Amino acid sequence: MSNEKDWKANWERTKERFGAWWKGDLTESPLVCLPIMKKNPEPPEAVPGNDDPRRRRTDPDVALANFRNYLRAYDFAADSYPGFDADFGPGSLALYLGCEPVFAEDTVWYRECVSDSWENRPIAFDENNPWWRLHYQMVKKAAEMSGGDYLVNIPDLIENVDTLASMRGTTNTCYDLIDEPELMKRRLSELDEVYFRYYDRLYDAVKDENGGSSFAAFQVWGPGRTAKVQCDFSALMSPEQYREFIVPSLTKQCGRLDFSIYHLDGPGAVKHLGALMEIEPLRALQWTAGNGQPDGADEKWYFIYDKVMEAGKSLWIHVGEGSAGELVEKARRLVRRYGVRATYLLFPHVDAETGEEILKAAAKGFR
């Protein structure tokens, strides 16, 4: 993606700011993601096959046509950028390892593929898995068709126990961790290696001329090997189990990535925050509060962000609810407390008038 393209005029500057955010070296203002609806967008093109949820996700022609319509409708202001999610659904690593997907209107889930035990089911890279081959070809085609006008995001693979739970089921995985801890550690170690067999191929397909890459989840770009990492299953784990099973995998994974951001999902996972902050190669944290909770900018969550800043890591915060004035005020409160050096504020998609008001405040660093 060059400096001046149809979809993103200040891309080189945005890349510099992402690089500074990962290091905690921003100076003028926090990183700001702010897609703004155009006042007079081009009319969308008709997309044959768009009524089929499977084709919307797995047919590159349908998915790219929908993405072009999105590009026609929005300007990518501040540090936002156009990134195509060549993503079948979160957790596609489980597909490559034997699960079959169920494509619903607004989500994808996976049928379990390990029915009895992990004893005779080692985790191995499968070059010929049909879902992998289809997904990889889709990513490559999207990258080839981009012409540099937009990024193609690395799909949301998902890792460690979350992937094993997709393959084996949540209840069975709870029992497995208790009944067969050493076997589970072997499978986790295998999965850690297999993750990168797939990740590396996807990264090579989408990386820019300097090795930069964008990951599907949470609009993050980094000047190197970049990914979101997680363990949503951790809500069901004790702090002792998390340290025993998950921290070693995350430490290895983050150590092999250049830029990693952890997705902390829901109140049940907060008990593991201390262990997370001890993972030295982890670079940033994103907090998802969950249904029925206030957005990420609410003061209720400051105790989480305080610990992240104390650990010297970067923050990703969703400023998601309210009028233009309310969104600006939330951002100002966050900047007053955490400064700009390591802060990333992601705003919702907004109309032109709201976007202009937020951009004015952002130009002053929300001060």
Side-chain angles (χ1 to χ4, degrees), residues 31 115 130 150 197 202 206 242 245 323 328 330 336 346 355:
L31 206 62
S115 59
Y150 55 84
R197 295 288 299 276
L202 294 165
V206 305
Y242 189 83
F245 293 99
S323 65
V328 167
K330 286 181 179 183
R336 283 196 295 268
L346 184 137

Side-chain angles (χ1 to χ4, degrees), residues 199-238:
Y199 176 94
D200 289 348
R201 285 160 174 77
L202 294 165
Y203 168 75
D204 286 341
V206 305
K207 65 183 179 182
D208 64 28
E209 62 274 13
N210 297 312
S213 62
S214 176
F215 200 78
F218 308 128
Q219 192 80 358
V220 289
W221 180 91
R225 292 155 59 85
T226 306
K228 177 272 300 169
V229 297
Q230 68 173 62
C231 182
D232 288 358
F233 189 89
S234 68
L236 302 177
M237 303 177 77
S238 69

Side-chain angles (χ1 to χ4, degrees), residues 121-140:
R121 186 65 183 272
I123 304 293
F125 175 74
D126 182 2
E127 179 73 49
N128 296 314
N129 176 276
W131 287 109
W132 160 248
R133 293 172 68 87
L134 179 64
H135 207 178
Y136 181 58
Q137 290 305 317
M138 180 176 179
V139 170
K140 287 186 65 178

Side-chain angles (χ1 to χ4, degrees), residues 159-162 164 184-193 195-196 229-231 241-257 262 276 279 281:
E159 51 278 314
N160 60 65
V161 170
D162 281 1
L164 297 185
M184 289 294 282
K185 289 176 186 177
R186 292 201 299 273
R187 295 298 172 258
L188 283 168
S189 182
E190 293 166 354
L191 189 67
D192 293 339
E193 294 302 313
Y195 174 94
F196 280 101
V229 297
Q230 68 173 62
C231 182
Q241 282 182 315
Y242 189 83
R243 286 184 179 274
E244 180 180 1
F245 293 99
I246 307 305
V247 169
S249 286
L250 288 174
T251 301
K252 286 188 291 184
Q253 185 179 14
C254 294
R256 292 178 64 172
L257 295 164
Y262 188 89
L276 271 172
I279 299 176

Side-chain angles (χ1 to χ4, degrees), residues 174-356:
C174 288
Y175 288 128
D176 290 343
L177 290 170
I178 296 170
D179 296 338
E180 300 182 291
E182 296 308 313
L183 176 60
M184 289 294 282
K185 289 176 186 177
R186 292 201 299 273
R187 295 298 172 258
L188 283 168
S189 182
E190 293 166 354
L191 189 67
D192 293 339
E193 294 302 313
V194 167
Y195 174 94
F196 280 101
R197 295 288 299 276
Y198 291 111
Y199 176 94
D200 289 348
R201 285 160 174 77
L202 294 165
Y203 168 75
D204 286 341
V206 305
K207 65 183 179 182
D208 64 28
E209 62 274 13
N210 297 312
S213 62
S214 176
F215 200 78
F218 308 128
Q219 192 80 358
V220 289
W221 180 91
R225 292 155 59 85
T226 306
K228 177 272 300 169
V229 297
Q230 68 173 62
C231 182
D232 288 358
F233 189 89
S234 68
L236 302 177
M237 303 177 77
S238 69
E240 294 75 20
Q241 282 182 315
Y242 189 83
R243 286 184 179 274
E244 180 180 1
F245 293 99
I246 307 305
V247 169
S249 286
L250 288 174
T251 301
K252 286 188 291 184
Q253 185 179 14
C254 294
R256 292 178 64 172
L257 295 164
D258 298 311
F259 303 96
S260 54
I261 180 170
Y262 188 89
H263 162 56
L264 185 65
D265 189 19
V270 174
K271 60 195 172 195
H272 306 303
L273 184 58
L276 271 172
M277 293 300 98
E278 295 171 12
I279 299 176
E280 192 277 332
L282 176 66
R283 303 291 289 271
L285 182 130
Q286 181 274 339
W287 161 245
T288 295
N291 293 333
Q293 299 285 352
D295 71 13
D298 194 272
E299 294 179 5
K300 181 177 181 178
W301 314 125
Y302 284 4
F303 78 98
I304 295 174
Y305 306 147
D306 289 347
K307 292 180 181 178
V308 175
M309 295 299 281
E310 289 170 6
K313 303 186 188 298
S314 298
L315 280 173
W316 184 111
I317 300 174
H318 183 212
V319 186
E321 299 173 356
S323 65
E326 289 168 335
L327 291 171
V328 167
E329 181 54 33
K330 286 181 179 183
R332 284 178 175 150
R333 288 200 299 267
L334 289 165
V335 167
R336 283 196 295 268
R337 188 175 184 92
Y338 300 112
V340 304
R341 294 177 63 84
T343 304
Y344 179 177
L345 304 179
L346 184 137
F347 290 88
H349 290 61
V350 297
D351 58 42
E353 183 177 350
T354 300
E356 289 173 4

Side-chain angles (χ1 to χ4, degrees), residues 1-13 147-149:
M1 179 181 272
S2 65
N3 190 38
E4 298 294 336
K5 286 291 187 178
D6 289 342
W7 310 116
K8 181 65 178 175
N10 62 335
W11 177 234
E12 294 301 321
R13 175 61 175 156
D149 278 331

